[in-house]
């Protein structure tokens, strides 16, 4: 079974927010809400400052506190690619999953259910790339099967240095940032 | 020039940013009422188990009715918190073993029959006036002391489960370091017991029970202090996010409320008053029990709010 993930090159990302806008239009995200966003991290002592810009979203983790805490089974792991999804008609809006995610990647949709990035699974199942990946003008985002050693994402991870977000939180995230 | 470490985000999701605030007043109110009802069930169960229901004015007769009302209020608060209310029935078409919230939903379903059984041992006048058959039921139950004992045991066990699960629920959310202590359920259970002892003491007509509960409450308050010490020792010897989480209460933004209301007014002051009272230095007043109850409520607010505020750090450039 494939394990979908993303590899994002922080050396190419300029924080243009194209991915953010693409997601909002593709998935009809209500005003004021975001499934993906840009984080800028600056560190150092002037004039020796380092900066990393990265686009973030739900990490579609392999260990999912957001799924295990869900009292109804609405939060679940999809049959295809280990994508973490929410079935809207099963969600009671108890917010446990929102609290359980150490990345704060979820929110409660104005219609009442928990919502977050779906890896655009509706596109992926048609053989397309997630909306954010498809629009990036610097080609900094790569989507694919992490379990396939010959996939583009696996090869990038073998050849470059990378980090994940909050490795200590124990969620085994599936989004990797090249440095 | 000083060292810089700055992280900015463009995300601004309601109730998530700048810091998690999904759970508002409804959750602490439910946790408090649920905890206090849990404690009252344990107390009433114990009285039934030890045969105190033979006394005319045993507190075990008013406890289940009050518990019934308070728990229902708590559950209503919980319902108010749900964002997708029409789908609430989804809780009861499944059991999710990994989700304490799912256990809780089912525990609540079991708690009500136990409370009702307890009510039936000696239904109030206004009930039997309306539903005369209750007198029959009551008579039948009282013919079997064994049954009464078992109703007592059921109330104690379900009370324990109710009191404990609320703590387990929060402590399994490892994303919030302050909650990530396996002693949270002990804290909530003991705090629930102490609020319950205070509440029943306030209304108990039976002298012996009133005195017993004041003494028991002193015990619970001391244990609660001890549990706090253990929780902080655990957090302070853990990873950086946990240390910072402990400091939120000990010396950070939540310290004034924590020290003044939770520890001072909620535990130390009533403990001193009640110690003097049980040693007959001062007479029993409503002050100490009220402080204990208010302290228990504020405790839930502080833990829920500070817990949501505590978080992991996501800095990579070092
Ligand atoms: S990032 Fe958060 S919401 Fe997404 S799978 Fe991981 S824990 Fe769940
Ligand atoms: S908000 Fe919905 S998806 Fe999240 S834990 Fe509650 S029921 Fe499950």
């Amino acid at each position: 079974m494939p394990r979908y993930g993303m590899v994002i090159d922080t050396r190419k990302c300029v924080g243009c927010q194209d991915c953010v806008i693409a997601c909002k239009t593709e998935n009809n995200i209500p005003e004021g809400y975001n499934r993906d966003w840009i984080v800028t991290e600056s560190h150092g002592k002037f004039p020796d400052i380092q900066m990393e810009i990265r686009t973030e979203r739900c990490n579609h983790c392999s260990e999912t506190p957001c799924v295990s805490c869900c009292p109804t089974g609405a939060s679940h792991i999809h049959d295809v690619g280990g994508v973490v999804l929410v079935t809207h008609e099963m969600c009671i809006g108890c917010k446990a999953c929102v609290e359980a995610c150490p990345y704060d990647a979820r929110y409660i949709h104005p219609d009442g259910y928990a919502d977050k990035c779906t890896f655009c699974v509706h596109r992926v199942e048609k053989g397309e790339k997630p909306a954010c990946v498809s629009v990036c003008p610097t080609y900094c985002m790569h989507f694919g099967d992490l379990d396939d050693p010959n996939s583009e994402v696996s090869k990038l991870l073998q050849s470059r240095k990378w980090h994940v977000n909050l490795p200590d939180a124990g969620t085994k995230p599936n989004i990797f940032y090249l440095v | 020039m000083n060292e810089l470490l700055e992280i900015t985000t463009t995300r601004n999701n309601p109730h998530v940013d700048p810091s998690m605030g999904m759970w508002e007043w409804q959750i602490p109110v439910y946790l408090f009422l649920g905890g206090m009802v849990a404690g009252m069930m344990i107390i009433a169960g114990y009285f039934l188990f030890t045969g105190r229901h033979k006394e005319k004015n045993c507190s075990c007769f008013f406890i289940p009715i009050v518990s019934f009302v308070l728990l229902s209020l708590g559950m209503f608060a919980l319902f108010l918190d749900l964002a997708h209310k029409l789908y609430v029935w989804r809780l009861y078409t499944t059991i999710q073993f990994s989700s304490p919230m799912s256990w809780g939903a089912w525990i609540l379903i079991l708690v009500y029959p136990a409370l009702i059984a307890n009510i039936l041992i000696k239904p109030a006048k206004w009930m039997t006036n309306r539903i005369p058959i209750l007198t029959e039921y009551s008579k039948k139950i009282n013919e079997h002391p064994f049954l009464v004992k078992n109703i007592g045991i059921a109330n104690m066990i379900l009370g324990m489960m109710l009191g404990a699960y609320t703590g387990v629920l929060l402590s399994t959310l490892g994303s919030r370091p302050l909650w990530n202590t396996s002693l949270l359920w002990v804290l909530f259970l003991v705090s629930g017991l102490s609020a319950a002892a205070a509440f029943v003491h306030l209304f108990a007509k039976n002298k012996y029970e009133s005195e017993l509960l004041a003494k028991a409450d002193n015990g619970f308050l001391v244990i609660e202090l001890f549990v706090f010490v253990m929780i902080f020792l655990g957090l302070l010897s853990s990873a950086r996010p946990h240390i910072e989480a402990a400091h939120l209460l000990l010396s950070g933004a939540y310290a004034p409320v924590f020290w003044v209301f939770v520890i001072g007014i909620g535990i130390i002051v009533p403990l001193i008053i009640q110690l003097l009272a049980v040693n007959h230095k001062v007479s029993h007043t409503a002050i100490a029990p009220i402080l204990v109850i208010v302290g228990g409520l504020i405790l839930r607010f502080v833990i829920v709010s500070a817990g949501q505020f505590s978080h992991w750090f996501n800095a990579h450039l070092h």
Side-chain angles (χ1 to χ4, degrees):
Chain A
M1 200 180 88
R3 177 170 57 106
Y4 288 145
M6 277 187 189
V7 173
I8 295 167
D9 195 339
T10 62
R11 298 203 155 194
K12 284 189 184 162
C13 178
V14 291
C16 70
Q17 308 231 30
D18 258 15
C19 50
V20 175
I21 301 301
C23 174
K24 293 204 72 149
T25 46
E26 171 72 25
N27 296 301
N28 266 324
I29 309 298
E31 196 181 328
Y33 293 78
N34 282 105
R35 283 186 183 179
D36 58 351
W37 57 90
I38 305 293
V39 168
T40 312
E41 185 181 328
S42 321
H43 176 70
K45 229 178 198 177
F46 185 81
D48 186 17
I49 305 264
Q50 274 181 294
M51 185 156 114
E52 178 177 296
I53 304 175
R54 53 180 186 259
T55 160
E56 294 188 357
R57 61 197 40 57
C58 164
N59 288 278
H60 296 273
C61 306
S62 293
E63 297 291 337
T64 45
C66 53
V67 171
S68 54
C69 73
C70 177
T72 65
S75 263
H76 66 282
I77 297 170
H78 190 49
D79 308 332
V80 181
V83 179
V84 178
L85 296 177
V86 180
T87 310
H88 300 166
E89 309 76 54
M90 284 172 79
C91 173
I92 59 172
C94 70
K95 307 159 188 172
C97 57
V98 185
E99 301 277 352
C101 170
Y103 306 95
D104 295 350
R106 295 176 172 231
Y107 55 83
I108 296 293
H109 189 281
D111 289 345
Y113 50 81
D115 200 23
K116 64 170 197 67
C117 162
T118 60
F119 264 173
C120 279
V121 76
H122 61 287
R123 291 171 59 100
V124 172
E125 283 177 341
K126 283 191 283 182
E128 295 169 29
K129 288 179 179 164
C132 53
V133 177
S134 73
V135 300
C136 178
T138 67
Y139 301 107
C140 80
M141 302 168 75
H142 308 269
F143 178 82
D145 179 6
L146 295 163
D147 278 352
D148 172 4
N150 294 316
S151 67
E152 184 193 21
V153 280
S154 297
K155 283 189 175 149
L156 279 166
L157 292 181
Q158 282 154 23
S159 59
R160 296 271 303 269
K161 274 193 171 173
W162 49 264
H163 73 75
V164 293
N165 283 344
L166 300 181
D168 300 340
T171 53
K172 298 199 185 148
N174 285 311
I175 295 190
F176 297 81
Y177 294 94
L178 301 177
V179 291
Chain B
M1 217 164 281
N2 293 326
E3 178 124 343
L4 167 91
L5 174 57
E6 193 164 280
I7 300 179
T8 56
T9 174
T10 64
R11 190 186 63 199
N12 192 20
N13 286 337
H15 303 291
V16 174
D17 299 295
S19 66
M20 183 59 71
M22 270 287 152
W23 281 339
E24 296 171 318
W25 63 269
Q26 299 92 332
I27 299 295
V29 164
Y30 165 70
L31 293 181
F32 168 72
L33 290 174
M36 192 160 90
V37 167
M40 293 208 283
M41 289 177 76
I42 296 173
I43 292 171
Y46 172 75
F47 285 163
L48 291 179
F49 183 72
T50 49
R52 293 203 52 81
H53 63 288
K54 286 169 206 139
E55 305 266 331
K56 249 205 178 123
N57 53 4
C58 175
S59 321
C60 55
F61 302 133
F62 79 81
I63 289 178
I65 302 174
V66 177
S67 300
F68 195 99
V69 175
L70 291 181
L71 189 63
S72 305
L73 282 177
M75 280 178 73
F76 184 63
L78 203 55
F79 177 70
L80 287 183
D81 175 69
L82 297 184
H84 222 194
K85 294 190 175 53
L86 285 179
Y87 294 82
V88 60
W89 54 275
R90 284 284 188 182
L91 280 172
Y92 295 109
T93 52
T94 178
I95 287 195
Q96 298 288 327
F97 289 104
S98 64
S99 163
M101 204 181 265
S102 178
W103 317 341
W106 286 104
I107 291 174
L108 285 168
I109 290 283
L110 297 175
V111 159
Y112 277 99
L115 285 175
I116 291 170
N118 190 355
I119 290 174
L120 284 180
I121 293 175
K122 193 181 174 192
K125 271 245 162 62
W126 58 268
M127 286 183 201
T128 46
N129 283 348
R130 257 166 233 167
I131 321 172
I133 187 108
L134 292 184
T135 330
E136 289 287 310
Y137 291 149
S138 164
K139 225 173 151 189
K140 281 206 180 117
I141 296 175
N142 282 293
E143 276 165 13
H144 307 280
F146 178 72
L147 194 57
V148 175
K149 233 180 191 164
N150 276 311
I151 294 177
I153 294 174
N155 272 275
M156 282 195 277
I157 292 179
L158 284 163
M160 292 261 222
M161 286 162 75
L162 179 63
Y165 108 84
T166 54
V168 178
L169 182 134
L170 294 187
S171 64
T172 52
L173 299 174
S175 50
R176 313 289 146 196
L178 181 66
W179 296 340
N180 206 210
T181 152
S182 51
L183 282 174
L184 204 60
W185 72 269
V186 187
L187 179 69
F188 280 10
L189 185 64
V190 177
S191 154
L193 271 168
S194 114
F199 188 90
V200 180
H201 167 81
L202 261 185
F203 295 102
K205 295 209 185 74
N206 183 298
K207 262 261 152 55
Y208 165 82
E209 286 172 8
S210 177
E211 189 77 6
L212 177 76
L213 287 170
K215 280 185 195 150
D217 201 11
N218 288 343
F220 296 141
L221 291 173
V222 172
I223 297 174
E224 198 177 335
L225 277 180
F226 184 70
V227 174
F228 263 124
V229 173
M230 299 315 268
I231 285 181
F232 283 124
L233 280 180
L235 287 173
L236 288 171
S237 54
S238 228
R240 183 55 35 201
H242 300 92
I243 297 173
E244 305 257 329
H247 279 298
L248 270 181
L249 297 189
L250 293 174
S251 55
Y254 289 87
V257 199
F258 177 71
W259 287 113
V260 175
F261 288 100
V262 177
I263 299 294
I265 293 178
I267 300 181
I268 307 271
V269 174
L271 183 59
I272 293 172
I273 298 179
Q274 271 181 164
L275 277 176
L276 292 175
V278 296
N279 290 310
H280 308 294
K281 299 271 189 323
V282 299
S283 55
H284 283 292
T285 61
I287 297 173
I290 288 175
L291 291 184
V292 169
I293 292 169
V294 172
L297 179 62
I298 297 176
L299 166 75
R300 303 307 194 290
F301 271 94
V302 169
I303 297 285
V304 169
S305 179
Q308 293 186 95
F309 189 79
S310 69
H311 53 83
W312 289 79
F313 311 113
N314 196 20
H316 299 281
L317 304 171
H318 278 294

